[in-house]
Amino acid sequence: MTGVTVALRMIRDRIATASGHSGRDCAEIRLVAVSKTHSPVLIEQAMAAGQCEFAENYLQEAIGKIQNLAGSGAIWHFIGRIQSNKTRDIARHFDWVQTVDRLRIAQRLSDQRAVDAAPLNICLQVRLSDDPARPGAVPADIPALAAAVSQLSRLRLRGLMCMPPVETDAAATARHFADCRDLYQSLAVRHSLDTLSMGTSGDLEAAIAAGSTLVRVGTAIFGSRTSG
Ligand SMILES: *Cc1c(COP(=O)(O)O)cnc(C)c1O
């Protein structure tokens, strides 16, 4: 058994335990393995252990891996910052984009998504801290953005994504997750949302307790990153 196989088993156990504590079914929570900076060999090991969804932050690096693993059945999520001159490649290579925070980017992704491809799944990234350096749309702007994005023909709005500030303590992190959940619930019925993407290696228990339906786990599966 590889290190990745063991680590995936431990993460699935953590998800099951955390769901149990909240009276939730762990089948409601999807695990996306964040493979940024890690080699296709490790991704193949994860796939052999039953993991099929992966997330990447850096476009050039990601495209190489996606092409390397073409035909493997892997599902790819883009979770990095989106520059407008990169939308064409993102729309072409990915199944999900979780970091949409403005309409102009969503419009470009929709215009550039191939007509014969499935609609691109979208999560809006919510900015939960006052730090202007953090990406995401502020909560007050999310309802209008959701309404506009849900009209775009080549996109399918699935939900919201958030990433609490690194430096916050456990109570503040729980509050950020609860705020994102409240916002999600206020929009879920109107827009038929099914995805609340929150929780990483260090805080997936708190995220699941707050209602997360998708956790993005990197370090705890693949080990520490040398860069990024
Ligand atoms: C890198 C990254 C993750 C994974 O974080 P880990 O702490 O390695 O689990 C999750 N979400 C986003 C947006 C990331 O950039």
Side-chain angles (χ1 to χ4, degrees):
M1 249 189 319
T2 66
V4 168
T5 309
V6 174
L8 271 169
R9 190 171 291 178
M10 287 170 66
I11 285 294
R12 291 191 189 114
D13 282 349
R14 279 176 64 188
I15 293 171
T17 304
S19 333
H21 283 155
S22 310
R24 303 181 59 196
D25 178 352
C26 65
E28 292 169 17
I29 295 146
R30 110 194 227 185
L31 171 61
V32 173
V34 179
S35 46
K36 63 182 172 213
T37 79
H38 295 293
S39 72
V41 173
L42 291 185
I43 298 174
E44 283 174 330
Q45 288 177 6
M47 291 196 82
Q51 177 64 31
C52 64
E53 297 197 67
F54 298 91
E56 292 279 339
N57 295 56
Y58 311 108
L59 186 60
Q60 282 321 114
E61 177 196 335
I63 290 173
K65 293 182 205 175
I66 293 170
Q67 287 172 339
N68 207 289
L69 293 160
S72 66
I75 294 168
W76 296 95
H77 297 244
F78 188 76
I79 58 168
R81 288 198 187 217
I82 307 172
Q83 292 165 277
S84 53
N85 63 345
K86 300 290 168 58
T87 51
R88 184 174 301 280
D89 277 336
I90 294 172
R92 174 151 169 213
H93 292 285
F94 285 84
D95 305 291
W96 286 70
V97 181
Q98 296 200 16
T99 41
V100 171
D101 63 1
R102 51 199 196 280
L103 185 56
R104 201 172 106 74
I105 293 292
Q107 280 164 335
R108 291 178 64 95
L109 290 169
S110 182
D111 290 346
Q112 293 166 344
R113 181 70 167 176
V115 284
D116 57 351
L120 189 56
N121 296 293
I122 300 292
C123 290
L124 305 179
Q125 184 171 8
V126 185
R127 176 147 75 84
L128 294 166
S129 81
D130 299 332
D131 182 356
R134 290 223 152 236
V138 295
D141 291 344
I142 292 283
L145 184 57
V149 169
S150 67
Q151 298 300 310
L152 297 172
S153 61
R154 304 299 302 132
L155 306 185
R156 181 169 167 216
L157 181 63
R158 300 294 294 265
L160 303 182
M161 177 273 213
C162 76
M163 184 94 178
V166 218
E167 65 284 359
T168 39
D169 59 25
T173 298
R175 228 169 18 246
H176 279 120
F177 287 150
D179 287 347
C180 195
R181 189 249 348 262
D182 291 348
L183 186 58
Y184 171 78
Q185 286 179 343
S186 73
L187 299 167
V189 173
R190 185 177 327 149
H191 297 298
S192 307
L193 305 183
D194 62 5
T195 304
L196 178 55
S197 172
M198 49 188 205
T200 61
S201 296
D203 56 18
L204 69 90
E205 283 82 3
I208 289 170
S212 169
T213 69
L214 184 159
V215 293
R216 310 176 309 269
V217 180
T219 316
I221 295 173
F222 297 113
S224 60
R225 293 180 284 271
T226 46
S227 62

